[in-house]
Amino acid sequence: PESFAKKQTRDVEAAKALITLRTTRHADILKKRAEWTDRARKYHENHRAQQRLVINKRREARNAGNFYVAPEAKVMFVIRLKGINRIPPTPKKILRLFRLRQINNAVFLKVNKASLNMLQRVTPYVAYGYPSRKTISELIYSRGSGRVGRTRIPLTNNLIIEQNLGKFNITCIEDLIEEIHTCGPHFKEANNFLWTFKLHNPRGGWRNKKKPYQ
């Protein structure tokens, strides 16, 4: 029948279109993968150069009998240690603003006067510090998840990052790490895209949570 012949023609054309689409997509992914590798290599070389520069400045200051003060950190990492029992309303509100709604939740924060003032109010309930680039990288690679709509999606593919942060020139996980580490111009968008980290208790349990720990 004529309808059967038309269906066969449509199936052949659809199969050819699918093969073309797969070939094009594979070529695009290979091209993007090479671009992502180049970006990661560039970030790594810049970071090594900055570390070497700090070491040289410290040596020069020590040889001259002076002191070298490293630049202040731009990003801090805050972990919640206590639950909701017996917490006053003001610290509870601040913890919600920090997106720390559960025990062992953790987030990155920009270091400024407002965040430091709020952090003083919740010091007994959190632990915080200034992470290195290696720490940020390990956190995002091992425990990182993205906010896609209202869903928590593990960061298993760079395309997830590109679809949500591509308009800010953040196309891969190395771009995301660099933006968080350097507190770049789109730190707010990158940090909001990252879902709150859900960490485990320390190995062996907490020794003492009654005193604040930095």
Side-chain angles (χ1 to χ4, degrees), residues 69-110:
V69 179
E72 295 183 355
K74 299 180 181 179
V75 178
M76 66 174 62
F77 189 65
V78 185
I79 307 173
R80 180 166 179 170
L81 302 179
K82 296 186 180 180
I84 62 174
N85 292 339
R86 298 180 181 179
I87 295 183
T90 301
K92 186 183 294 186
K93 180 66 175 179
I94 293 173
L95 290 173
R96 288 184 178 178
L97 290 175
F98 286 167
R99 300 186 297 163
L100 300 175
R101 293 179 173 269
Q102 298 174 342
I103 297 177
N104 296 334
N105 277 5
V107 293
F108 293 109
L109 289 180
K110 183 185 292 187

Side-chain angles (χ1 to χ4, degrees), residues 4 13 21 23-24 55 73 78 80 108-110 114 119 130 142 144-146 148 155 160 165 171 183 214:
F4 185 75
E13 292 177 354
L21 179 62
T23 305
T24 306
I55 292 173
V78 185
R80 180 166 179 170
F108 293 109
L109 289 180
K110 183 185 292 187
L119 198 60
Y130 305 100
S142 61
S145 297
V148 181
L155 298 179
I160 300 174
L165 298 176
T171 59
C183 196
Q214 180 173 352

